[in-house]
Amino acid sequence: MEVKARAPGKIILAGEHAVVHGSTAVAAAVDLYTYVTLRFPLQSAENNDRLTLQLKDISLEFSWSLARIKEAIPYDSTTLCRSTPTSCSQETLKSIAVLVEEQNLPKEKIWLSSGISTFLWLYTRIIGFNPATVVINSELPYGSGLGSSAALCVALTAALLASSLSDKTRGNGWSSLDETNLELLNKWAFEGEKIIHGKPSGIDNTVSAYGNMIKFCSGEITRLQSNMPLRMLITNTRVGRNTKALVSGVSQRAARHPDVMNSVFNAVDSISKELAAIIQSKDDTSVTEKEESIKELMEMNQGLLQSMGVSHSSIEAVIQTTVKHKLVSKLTGAGGGGCILTLLPTGTVVDKVVKELESSGFQCFTASIGGNGAQISY
Ligand SMILES: Nc1ncnc2c1ncn2[C@@H]1O[C@H](COP(=O)(O)OP(=O)(O)OP(=O)(O)O)[C@@H](O)[C@H]1O
Ligand SMILES: C[C@@](O)(CCO)CC(=O)[O-]
Ligand SMILES: [Mg+2]
């Protein structure tokens, strides 16, 4: 039997980091996906005692015998709990880390460890100790602010949950999950994100699961309906970074300067709320005026992100280049490198700015904003 799932990456228009501390944030899905294919072998097949993970886009394969997985991961009454998402305990995470270490990841790919641990955790909790080959292929740059970790958790969970649904209509292309399964999927994906991010807000997995554009605050989701064109240039600095470390750095700064950082988080909250209101507004304010307001909000959000300590010289370089072309930019996701968003007001010709950014070694692309969330296919 074969089951497929896909989940999109995301951009955060306003509110990253502050959202971890209870502020509002606004995020949208982008049309770059992580794909997961689950293949279950026949009883008689040769490899029916192994779990194999293939990461297609980076040509890596990992494989464990089920006996070894059973031996390493402590089995208790909560081991198989498809319908009740639970957190991975530190003890289980340590056991899983041993299984990952045994695969001798190349040194330069060690950053994949948390993703592989998350894979083993979600797989064994939702499917149990069953043989399969899991093929993952991602269009998203890893660790760059476009939600590669959330897309992995959402696509993998979608495939795992879909494999046990009774209604499997084959050959109908991509379809969405119903609300109940979507909610279950989002809870599991959040548990997976915890392994990769440490202390996620849940915004990345939520927007990847539900798609479109959302306003998110302390787990509360408001789906947004945009009433204006919204075009963004995405620039990848190609500077690698790790969301877990950046989130932890902001928390440490907040612990050192609680009053200051609370004011920063409150200011970000207001920015996100104002941004959401502009995007949704149906009044007769012109698109140009709305774009001017969004520009200002993005500029202020970037300033506050800088004060949280998550900007980077490469981000500042992109911002300076886009300013020369009268365009406004902010980092998106965790910062520290990664990707930057540049608002492209109606009528903007991007060729010159893209040429200049690319000549500095950055990678530019435009992605369509606000599309599908998680989908499955049989
Ligand atoms: N397709 C994948 N296969 C295996 N691991 C993955 C995959 N995609 C992401 N990961 C894991 O997620 C990590 C990157 O997650 P991280 O949260 O740091 O960045 P991001 O999700 O791309 O950006 P952000 O969280 O800022 O949106 C990788 O180091 C890897 O461990
Ligand atoms: C930095 C952060 O706010 C967004 C990462 O895309 C972390 C989170 O919300 O979990
Ligand atoms: Mg992430």
Side-chain angles (χ1 to χ4, degrees):
M1 188 187 68
E2 190 172 284
V3 182
K4 287 190 178 135
R6 69 174 188 180
K10 58 92 227 268
I11 51 172
I12 297 191
L13 295 158
E16 49 276 270
H17 286 292
V19 69
V20 176
H21 302 268
S23 301
T24 307
V26 178
V30 291
D31 62 344
L32 295 168
Y33 293 89
T34 293
Y35 296 83
V36 173
T37 305
L38 283 187
R39 285 189 199 120
F40 298 106
L42 296 172
Q43 284 283 311
S44 55
E46 234 172 60
N47 57 346
N48 73 355
D49 60 349
R50 298 194 73 79
L51 177 60
T52 300
L53 171 64
Q54 294 176 351
L55 302 181
K56 265 271 150 55
D57 49 290
I58 43 176
S59 307
L60 285 176
E61 178 171 310
F62 311 97
S63 190
W64 301 263
S65 80
L66 290 171
R68 177 67 193 114
I69 295 180
K70 276 187 201 158
E71 180 187 69
I73 302 182
Y75 188 95
D76 61 39
S77 56
T78 65
T79 301
L80 191 55
C81 49
R82 181 191 179 283
S83 316
T84 46
T86 48
S87 301
C88 183
S89 68
Q90 283 308 312
E91 190 201 355
T92 305
L93 196 52
K94 272 189 203 150
S95 316
I96 290 177
V98 173
L99 287 174
V100 177
E101 267 164 37
E102 287 167 7
Q103 297 289 314
N104 294 320
L105 263 173
K107 244 206 180 102
E108 69 282 5
K109 293 275 177 358
I110 210 71
W111 46 270
L112 274 171
S113 307
S114 60
I116 301 169
S117 291
T118 305
F119 161 76
L120 283 169
W121 158 256
L122 289 171
Y123 187 92
T124 52
R125 293 287 137 161
I126 300 175
I127 296 269
F129 301 111
N130 284 307
T133 296
V134 183
V135 183
I136 301 182
N137 201 5
S138 187
E139 295 167 349
L140 289 159
Y142 291 76
S144 298
L146 298 185
S148 71
S149 61
L152 165 73
C153 295
V154 172
L156 175 62
T157 309
L160 295 171
L161 293 178
S163 70
S164 59
L165 292 180
S166 49
D167 176 23
K168 295 195 183 75
T169 318
R170 292 194 178 274
N172 275 354
W174 293 110
S175 63
S176 303
L177 289 111
D178 61 36
E179 277 296 320
T180 312
N181 275 301
L182 204 48
E183 207 178 303
L184 180 62
L185 153 72
N186 197 30
K187 284 187 180 151
W188 269 121
F190 180 57
E191 293 305 331
E193 272 278 85
K194 280 190 193 168
I195 298 177
I196 302 174
H197 275 200
K199 194 191 165 205
S201 63
I203 190 171
D204 291 3
N205 50 279
T206 302
V207 73
S208 178
Y210 288 88
N212 302 315
M213 196 181 291
I214 61 164
K215 187 167 82 169
F216 184 97
C217 184
S218 302
E220 195 183 310
I221 312 158
T222 312
R223 296 186 201 199
L224 302 182
Q225 185 65 52
S226 171
N227 280 306
M228 63 177 290
L230 207 51
R231 269 205 318 146
M232 296 279 173
L233 174 71
I234 301 175
T235 304
N236 188 356
T237 59
R238 304 182 205 254
V239 173
R241 84 300 169 283
N242 163 320
T243 297
K244 188 175 184 175
L246 288 151
V247 167
S248 149
V250 173
S251 293
Q252 285 164 25
R253 190 173 279 210
R256 286 194 298 273
H257 309 285
D259 291 347
V260 181
M261 290 294 274
N262 271 335
S263 302
V264 170
F265 297 148
N266 280 334
V268 173
D269 184 67
S270 303
I271 289 175
S272 299
K273 285 178 178 155
E274 213 179 303
L275 182 78
I278 295 168
I279 290 171
Q280 296 209 94
S281 151
K282 286 183 182 157
D283 67 14
D284 48 15
T285 312
S286 70
V287 170
T288 316
E289 275 177 85
K290 287 183 183 174
E291 286 168 348
E292 281 306 315
S293 299
I294 292 178
K295 263 187 184 174
E296 250 176 11
L297 292 170
M298 285 175 63
E299 209 167 43
M300 288 189 281
N301 196 171
Q302 174 60 29
L304 293 165
L305 284 159
Q306 199 178 18
S307 73
M308 290 179 215
V310 295
S311 196
H312 185 268
S313 54
S314 61
I315 296 175
E316 301 302 326
V318 171
I319 293 173
Q320 287 315 315
T321 304
T322 61
V323 160
K324 281 197 268 168
H325 297 262
K326 300 194 168 42
L327 297 170
V328 166
S329 310
K330 72 173 269 293
L331 68 84
T332 189
C339 286
I340 290 112
L341 294 182
T342 304
L343 179 71
L344 301 175
T346 320
T348 308
V349 181
V350 287
D351 303 16
K352 280 191 183 152
V353 68
V354 166
K355 202 169 164 200
E356 192 170 343
L357 289 166
E358 288 184 340
S359 71
S360 306
F362 303 125
Q363 176 195 23
C364 294
F365 47 100
T366 42
S368 147
I369 299 174
N372 293 317
Q375 291 180 306
I376 53 173
S377 159
Y378 296 106

